[in-house]
Amino acid sequence: MRSDIEIAQSAQMKPIDQIAAQLGIRPEELECYGRYKAKVSDDLMNRLQDKPDGKLILVTAINPTPAGEGKTTTTVGLGEAMPLIGKNAIIALREPSLGPVFGIKGGAAGGGYSQVVPMEDINLHFTGDMHAITAANNLLCALLDNHMQQGNPLGIDPRRVLWKRCMDMNDRALRNIVIGLGGKVNGVPREDGFNITVASEIMAILCLAADLADLKERLGRILVAYNYQGEPVYARDLNAQGAMTALLKDALKPNLVQTLENTPALMHGGPFANIAHGCNSVRATRLALKLADYTITEAGFGSDLGAEKFLDIKCRVAGLKPSCIVLVATVRALKYNGGLPKTELVPANPEALKKGLVNLEAHIENMKKYGVPVVVAINKFLTDSEEELALIADRCRELGADFATTEGFAKGGEGAKELAQKVVDACEKPADFHPIYELEGTIEDKLNVIARTIYGAEGVVLTGPAKKAAAEIARLGGDALPVCVAKTQYSLSDDPVKLGRPTGFTITVRDLRLSNGAGFVVALTGDIMTMPGLPKVPAAEKIDVDPNGVITGLF
């Protein structure tokens, strides 16, 4: 089988205005970035605001292996299959980050014959949204440091600056740095550091903002530092929100692309799910619901991360109500959760698979707690044995969970038709969506609900610094916000080596951070870092460009 990039480069793409026409988008509502990608204007959103919404389908997954389990591939394949069974559908995805593209996981445009194209553009610079977010983040840093240099009328304490710089690349050397060295003219020396762009609060704000006015207001609310009296300093105190909004004005508009089979796809925003809230933008999802009868979106990593945040944060903020949850499972991920090392996942091993099925059970049970029908998508790999696939199917039947085997990677939409029909049927079943916790109560209360209900933990333990941070956040009124847990994606616990369905553990919260503009509190657990590092052999080493400009090695 050809590589992902070879398949993508041979795709028969339609000009993006034709894809837009399929959705009823007018030429004047489209802002083209070349022939095959475009942004959609605010005029379109305004025109469709009173149109009834279609059905919302969330694609999530069990706990993955380090290579990922094809959740985006399943999402794209499902979207490609919908027209084949006579349904009008659109896909709503996150934009890839350059960190994974050049790191260990690769791109985020799907795989095989279930990809979103133009694949190279999407995985690299796309329409410049990531760069705009990076620029807005770092403009705020520059304004803050300049304020301290130019007399510091707000009395900002350089020891209590919270806001960090960012870049969309894995670079561990930038996690902790010292700036302002070289004499008086070069600024106030202080400790600083970098986050990866997709972990920046600006990313979360862009993805949760309802419109330009809401974006500007949220940017102004960002907590950047404290003054010498211990009082908070916000971005609006630095008069930063106007210029930041100007940088993000175009980035706020959703991007329109297509799949290999010409199914429309909106790609917009890209927060990581293990260190942020892991969902595409509210604006793209809302627009998609107006443009098609079925909107298929995804949330990052396993359901304990992305889906929980989609359902408890994004849906709460945006007033969204999903009609169906698709839970992606693979033979290799279940064997990994059964204790097999990642180097031994290809050969058939039914016993390891049986041990790992407890992970699938936990995710099915958890998603049902939100009152939404669940369909398990068994994402089939070429190396899977029929015995192993049958074991998963049998366990789904025992649990009373509907399921379908999907082969979107190898067969595109044709390989996901069974899944598409099961999803359509599920969307007709009664749904009573509700978040698993209310906003009343303390931060610790909400963390305990998530830990016990979703992770299967006995509760949470806040370290001394976390307790101090919780008290300060409560003083600022942040205890009424939802919580976003930064946690390993490989385990239901906060320890990546506790696979399967661990019991008898607690979740240790080492720190809490107020993302005041985004409107949630981030709880840091384990060794999760907001600036990842590259692996020993980065994917970047295999990427090249020939004399004709053709990219190779991108996946």
Side-chain angles (χ1 to χ4, degrees), residues 201 205 208 218 221 313 317 481-482 514-521:
E201 187 180 347
I205 289 171
L208 293 170
R218 286 172 177 271
R221 290 204 317 248
I313 298 176
V317 168
L481 298 174
L514 176 59
S515 290
N516 200 51
F520 53 68
V521 175

Side-chain angles (χ1 to χ4, degrees), residues 23 37 44 86 105 142 144 177 269 302 352 437 447 479 487 505-506 512 546 548:
L23 297 167
K37 55 187 187 290
L44 173 63
K105 194 176 178 185
L144 188 152
I177 61 173
Y437 62 84
L447 285 168
D479 56 340
K487 182 184 77 69
F505 67 94
T506 56
L512 294 164
D546 72 14
N548 296 315

Side-chain angles (χ1 to χ4, degrees), residues 43-59:
D43 293 339
L44 173 63
M45 305 185 80
N46 294 334
R47 176 166 69 84
L48 298 179
Q49 62 181 348
D50 296 325
K51 185 180 178 182
D53 287 346
K55 302 285 189 179
L56 179 59
I57 300 150
L58 172 66
V59 180

Side-chain angles (χ1 to χ4, degrees), residues 377-397:
I378 306 172
N379 186 23
K380 183 179 179 181
F381 284 62
L382 295 175
T383 54
D384 296 341
S385 73
E386 292 303 318
E387 181 184 1
E388 290 171 322
L389 292 168
L391 284 171
I392 302 175
D394 289 343
R395 193 68 189 106
C396 288
R397 291 189 191 96

